[in-house]
Amino acid sequence: MGAGPGDPGLVTQRGLDRLAEADVVVADRLVPQALLRELRPGVRVIDVSKVPRGAFVPQERINQILVAEAHAGHRVVRLKGGDSFVFGRGMEEVQACRAAGLPVEVVPGISSAIAVPELAGVPVTHRGLTQGFTVVSAHLPPDDPGSTVDWSGVARSRTTIVLLMAVQTLPEVTAALLAHGMDPATAAVSVENGGTDQQRILRGRLDDIAAVAATHGLRAPAITVVGQVAAFADATQLTHA
């Protein structure tokens, strides 16, 4: 089940129904805590958080927990932030459960890739400005051997670029986009803790958004949007303009 971008009010009705039926909830660290506080008495919550560059529960162990709890006769909800299939390893968990002979239902969530920019006043598409958007996981810098992103293609795409997991790699990513020919003056915005009461918006340009983020101590979870639409960022929420 996808829990959406942080605001418990943005969880789907089907998701709420499944939580009401759960015996066990296996939860990530970015799920709305209000949802866990509202579970019926006796529901067990298993924390399988992954902290960026810190402590984490290995994916294989999470798969084992899901299978074991279901085989024990429990109705299990795997609760993940955003949408489970957008950089959420949701399909890996579905495959593990199905391989163990377990029935699985997928409950989509609102993806932070679209919702967080929107909550900051930024549309990922806009008539006359852009006809598409590209969502990229930037947890690896462009020169990392494990990176499979074609940054040259991203830079040439003429679409809005939505960067997830890019807090640490933002200097390298923006440098790569500039090196591949993007206009340094392209609008950019970083949104921290989108969809929560801690939401913070930092606005800049492609050539300085990494410096702005560093100066203001941008922390995960955060999403950075690069493109003309970033100029729409809600001025009433801005930490830095």
Side-chain angles (χ1 to χ4, degrees):
M1 171 188 160
D7 182 343
L10 296 177
V11 176
T12 65
Q13 183 61 55
R14 179 171 296 180
L16 293 174
D17 291 344
R18 296 300 174 264
L19 285 173
E21 300 164 350
D23 301 309
V24 178
V25 176
V26 181
D28 283 350
R29 73 183 185 93
L30 296 181
V31 303
Q33 293 302 301
L35 296 179
L36 302 181
R37 291 193 294 269
E38 293 170 2
L39 294 171
R40 60 186 173 81
V43 177
R44 281 190 297 120
V45 177
I46 301 175
D47 183 356
V48 293
S49 298
K50 292 184 176 73
V51 179
R53 291 168 175 79
F56 71 98
V57 179
Q59 186 61 52
E60 293 73 17
R61 177 57 185 151
I62 296 174
N63 295 348
Q64 292 169 357
I65 291 170
L66 297 175
V67 170
E69 291 291 343
H71 273 158
H74 302 141
R75 184 167 295 187
V76 182
V77 171
R78 173 67 170 110
L79 190 62
K80 304 165 78 74
D83 179 85
S84 305
F85 283 17
V86 181
F87 305 130
R89 299 188 179 183
M91 194 61 195
E92 294 179 41
E93 296 172 358
V94 169
Q95 290 174 318
C97 291
R98 286 179 175 164
L102 297 167
V104 182
E105 177 187 8
V106 174
V107 180
I110 297 175
S111 174
S112 62
I114 300 172
V116 167
E118 183 175 342
L119 292 170
V122 177
V124 293
T125 63
H126 189 75
R127 188 162 58 125
L129 292 183
T130 179
Q131 297 178 5
F133 60 99
T134 303
V135 181
V136 184
S137 168
H139 75 287
L140 295 176
D143 60 354
D144 190 291
S147 176
T148 62
V149 178
D150 179 359
W151 288 103
S152 174
V154 172
R156 297 194 313 269
S157 68
R158 301 179 66 184
T159 64
T160 301
I161 302 170
V162 182
L163 302 170
L164 276 63
M165 296 174 277
V167 172
Q168 297 294 327
T169 61
L170 197 54
E172 293 90 344
V173 167
T174 53
L177 294 174
L178 289 167
H180 288 299
M182 283 195 70
D183 183 351
T186 303
V189 64
S190 292
V191 186
E192 177 183 289
N193 289 315
T196 75
D197 57 6
Q198 302 297 313
Q199 178 167 297
R200 189 163 65 117
I201 303 173
L202 305 175
R203 187 163 64 183
R205 311 183 339 162
L206 177 59
D207 61 357
D208 70 2
I209 190 63
V212 170
T215 298
H216 291 270
L218 184 72
R219 299 180 63 183
I223 287 177
T224 295
V225 179
V226 179
Q228 288 178 279
V229 293
F232 285 113
D234 187 348
T236 65
Q237 301 183 55
L238 285 178
T239 299
H240 172 82

